[in-house]
Amino acid sequence: MSIKNSELILNPDGSVYHLNLKPENISDTIIFVGDQDRVEKITKHFDRIDFSTQKREFKTQTGYYKGKRISVISTGIGPDNIDIVLNELDALVNIDLKTRQPKTDLTSLNIVRIGTSGSLQKDVPVDSFVISTHGLDINGMLHFYQIDDICNPEIEDAFISHTNWNENKARPIVINNSQSLENHFDSDQVYKGMTGTAGGFYGPQGRVLRLPLQDATLNSKLDNFLYKDFRITNFEMETSVIYGLSKLLGHEALSLSAIIANRPNGNFSKDPKQTVENLIHYALERIVNI
């Protein structure tokens, strides 16, 4: 049965609605960045760029780095944007856009997020890198999908108990990364841990301007959470949804974060641009061998 026009929206040229992409425009290896200006900070290292487009905050460039075809896409900020990007990327490779029917033979994409983040642990310093072993979803977006098979109830229950999680909020979800990609990108240069993914920058991450918080102690509870070998190393707004949707759709995903702030120590990187540049080099040298 064909997917209705209202559910899978295409532009007049046949490209997917938000990303403005056709299947031939992307590689099966994709780097996610949040900021559209960071796309060219990566592709400036490419041997050549064969394709470039932008619509809204979604900027895409596809080219070659040391003979490896790679696409770089800016997702913008937050879980809702990841929902758009991952669903439309999956449609490009796993739905026949002419017949509007899912394909029989499915393609698995390799997705690597290169982002910035703040550390929640004193021993994870600014200017370091973190591999997210898990995404801790505290924003609720994934609950709109059937997620039972990707959850880790034991860790989730421990987190709910530790934080005295408010029942009016969506149940936290813990999702594993791609173990094969973690093994590929792992080294003694990186820290590893669980990454919390909030649905906003201010209240959801414990920042107070004029509005009081439902739980003013949540950040300290995140800092102190420890269950077996699991602790929360950093906090941002995309990782858990990248992991969750990738698991559900059959893609491999890994999130790499440049730590530019340390919340418990109260300090900020003196040269965050260089820290991000260092992470870009680290990632590209490993991506070529995927």
Side-chain angles (χ1 to χ4, degrees):
M1 186 173 181
S2 297
I3 300 170
K4 295 178 181 178
N5 292 350
S6 60
E7 310 308 293
L8 175 58
I9 305 170
L10 302 179
N11 296 311
D13 66 353
S15 61
V16 290
Y17 183 64
H18 295 92
L19 300 186
N20 207 35
L21 294 171
K22 297 178 182 179
E24 62 267 25
N25 299 146
I26 62 167
S27 170
D28 61 2
T29 299
I30 299 174
I31 296 173
F32 281 179
V33 294
D35 184 356
Q36 56 193 300
D37 292 336
R38 195 173 294 151
V39 172
E40 291 181 351
K41 288 181 171 64
I42 296 176
T43 60
K44 71 180 182 181
H45 299 289
F46 283 16
D47 306 320
R48 72 175 195 265
I49 298 169
D50 295 337
F51 174 81
S52 184
T53 191
Q54 180 168 0
K55 185 177 180 183
R56 302 184 187 183
E57 62 267 55
F58 307 114
K59 181 173 184 176
T60 301
Q61 290 190 335
T62 298
Y64 287 83
Y65 178 77
K66 296 186 176 180
K68 176 78 170 181
R69 190 169 187 249
I70 303 170
S71 295
V72 185
I73 299 177
S74 62
T75 64
I77 298 173
D80 51 341
N81 276 18
I82 297 300
D83 183 59
I84 291 170
V85 173
L86 257 165
N87 274 290
E88 291 195 2
L89 285 175
D90 182 76
L92 287 171
V93 297
N94 289 322
I95 296 174
D96 186 318
L97 299 185
K98 293 181 179 178
T99 66
R100 310 181 70 87
Q101 293 182 341
K103 296 178 181 178
T104 302
D105 297 324
L106 300 179
T107 296
S108 179
L109 300 170
N110 290 308
I111 297 167
V112 178
R113 176 186 182 269
I114 297 177
T116 56
S117 184
S119 170
L120 293 179
Q121 301 295 335
K122 290 184 177 181
D123 64 322
V124 181
V126 294
D127 303 324
S128 64
F129 307 152
V130 167
I131 287 178
S132 303
T133 61
H134 300 74
L136 168 64
D137 189 279
I138 57 171
N139 58 78
M141 202 283 293
L142 288 170
H143 282 286
F144 287 91
Y145 298 96
Q146 296 180 13
I147 56 172
D148 289 347
D149 291 342
I150 65 169
C151 296
N152 286 274
E154 189 177 354
I155 310 172
E156 295 159 8
D157 288 343
F159 178 79
I160 289 167
S161 175
H162 174 77
T163 57
N164 191 26
W165 192 254
N166 188 290
E167 63 180 11
N168 292 323
K169 296 178 180 178
R171 176 183 167 87
I173 312 164
V174 175
I175 311 106
N176 300 56
N177 67 12
S178 163
Q179 189 61 58
S180 62
L181 286 183
E182 178 186 325
N183 293 341
H184 190 78
F185 283 83
D186 196 7
S187 78
D188 57 7
Q189 299 178 53
V190 298
Y191 292 80
K192 293 195 291 186
M194 191 155 52
T195 295
T197 300
F201 184 77
Y202 288 97
Q205 292 190 44
R207 292 182 173 90
V208 178
L209 301 184
R210 292 204 311 119
L211 297 176
L213 303 176
Q214 179 274 320
D215 183 357
T217 64
L218 180 58
N219 272 22
S220 63
K221 294 174 183 176
L222 294 172
D223 299 347
N224 297 327
F225 177 68
L226 183 65
Y227 176 71
K228 296 183 178 179
D229 294 329
F230 299 100
R231 67 171 184 165
I232 304 164
T233 48
N234 58 316
F235 210 11
E236 44 79 273
M237 296 175 62
E238 290 84 30
T239 292
S240 70
V241 184
I242 294 172
Y243 283 6
L245 291 178
S246 293
K247 291 286 185 187
L248 293 172
L249 292 166
H251 305 299
E252 303 293 325
L254 188 72
S255 182
L256 307 173
S257 294
I259 299 300
I260 60 171
N262 185 291
R263 299 285 294 275
N265 293 333
N267 56 354
F268 193 84
S269 173
K270 294 180 179 179
D271 193 352
K273 291 182 179 179
Q274 186 59 52
T275 301
V276 172
E277 180 70 12
N278 292 342
L279 180 57
I280 289 169
H281 281 285
Y282 182 90
L284 284 175
E285 291 308 305
R286 285 157 179 79
I287 285 172
V288 293
N289 296 316
I290 292 178

